[in-house]
Amino acid sequence: MPYAVISDVHANLTALEAVLKDIELRAIEDVYFTGDAVGYGPSPNQCVELLKKSCKILIAGNHDWAAINYTTADYFNDMALYAITWTADTLTPENIIEIENFKLLKSSAQRDALFVHATPKDPENWEYLMSINDARINFEHFEQRFCFIGHSHMPIMVSVDTESGKVITDKQRIELEADCRYIINVGSVGQPRDNDPRAAYAVVDDDTAEIVRVEYDIRKTQSEMESVGLPARLIDRLEYGY
Ligand code: ZN
């Protein structure tokens, strides 16, 4: 049975609803979430509640932990810092507890997969996995066949052949091979940064892993951000997908 992996929702409820609808239309039941429910967007409480209802595994991202003071936001730029302070003030006590229960990393024996926001090597340091060399290093730090990540907001699939060591990358669709292991960055639902403004997520079945893109009502999210006073640059970037 296919399953879906979603990440980096960033309090963009309209994008999350569009992605969950797309997942439902594919009759996919199992959804896994790899972190950053909140930060940047206008609907942190609704997103935490909908993710809790919809996902089998909930992983913590750096923005989730920053919003509840579990990790520093010192390195955030001014806009991200403004948004995370607004988020911390907006989250209900119940949803703060929900975020406290998000896991830093979690595996699924059923999927032979590890789920983590940043890297399996050093999940608490929120490093970015951006190169084949980074991927090679990180393949040494998990045992499962799959590792699903988010964090960079840029979808990419990396496969390594366990016999030959050959590495292949693809941004859209990869045929799964028996002898290969995979690191899959599923991209971002709520704030894509690969110059494609459509929401991104991953669908995996027995034979393939694929990055799916979903259009959503960007204007709606933008006007909600305006009405709560979030920074203009954060509002604008949604329509560029960066
Ligand atoms: Zn993020």
Side-chain angles (χ1 to χ4, degrees):
M1 282 295 283
Y3 59 99
V5 188
I6 66 176
S7 193
D8 294 273
V9 170
H10 285 292
N12 187 339
L13 181 65
T14 307
L16 177 59
E17 286 173 338
V19 162
L20 291 174
K21 182 82 198 161
D22 193 73
I23 290 169
E24 194 188 320
L25 288 172
R26 291 165 190 263
I28 293 173
E29 288 180 5
D30 289 354
V31 185
Y32 302 85
F33 169 65
T34 56
D36 277 357
V38 303
Y40 300 128
S43 309
N45 287 304
Q46 296 92 323
C47 286
V48 170
E49 286 154 19
L50 186 52
L51 286 165
K52 162 91 174 151
K53 210 166 68 179
S54 311
C55 300
K56 289 193 84 169
I57 284 178
L58 295 161
I59 297 294
N62 52 320
H63 287 254
D64 301 322
W65 271 20
I68 60 166
N69 253 324
Y70 271 28
T71 192
T72 180
D74 286 353
Y75 62 94
F76 280 28
N77 64 39
D78 288 351
M79 292 177 303
L81 198 58
Y82 182 93
I84 214 69
T85 306
W86 177 85
T87 300
D89 292 343
T90 304
L91 282 169
T92 64
E94 293 79 11
N95 285 326
I96 288 172
I97 291 168
E98 293 300 343
I99 293 176
E100 286 171 355
N101 290 329
F102 287 6
K103 303 282 183 270
L104 189 59
L105 70 181
K106 191 155 173 67
S107 59
S108 161
Q110 183 195 1
R111 303 301 180 192
D112 196 5
L114 179 72
F115 300 90
V116 61
H117 185 63
T119 66
K121 174 174 171 285
D122 219 355
E124 278 181 271
N125 280 342
W126 316 113
E127 289 167 352
Y128 289 93
L129 195 158
M130 297 298 277
S131 68
I132 287 178
N133 196 41
D134 292 344
R136 279 193 193 281
I137 292 165
N138 274 280
F139 273 117
E140 307 286 319
H141 290 267
F142 66 99
E143 291 169 353
Q144 294 83 356
R145 187 175 182 218
F146 296 95
C147 176
F148 293 97
I149 62 171
H151 194 39
S152 72
H153 300 204
M154 288 190 275
I156 186 84
M157 293 174 276
V158 186
S159 86
V160 63
D161 186 311
T162 51
E163 300 280 302
S164 67
K166 189 177 172 204
V167 172
I168 293 171
T169 66
D170 198 289
K171 287 180 178 168
Q172 279 181 332
R173 193 168 187 278
I174 206 160
E175 303 284 335
L176 301 178
E177 309 280 349
D179 291 336
C180 290
R181 296 172 69 224
Y182 302 89
I183 294 175
I184 298 177
N185 187 320
V186 303
S188 171
V189 169
Q191 196 200 77
R193 292 181 192 158
D194 61 344
N195 301 306
D196 182 342
R198 295 174 299 169
Y201 75 100
V203 172
V204 184
D205 63 21
D206 290 343
D207 305 317
T208 58
E210 185 183 359
I211 301 296
V212 176
R213 304 307 287 249
V214 181
E215 288 190 21
Y216 72 96
D217 188 349
I218 293 173
R219 295 266 171 237
K220 181 161 183 259
T221 299
Q222 288 178 316
S223 73
E224 288 164 357
M225 291 172 79
E226 273 164 29
S227 67
V228 297
L230 285 162
R233 170 78 184 91
L234 292 180
I235 296 170
D236 293 344
R237 71 186 300 176
L238 291 180
E239 69 197 70
Y240 309 125
Y242 195 77

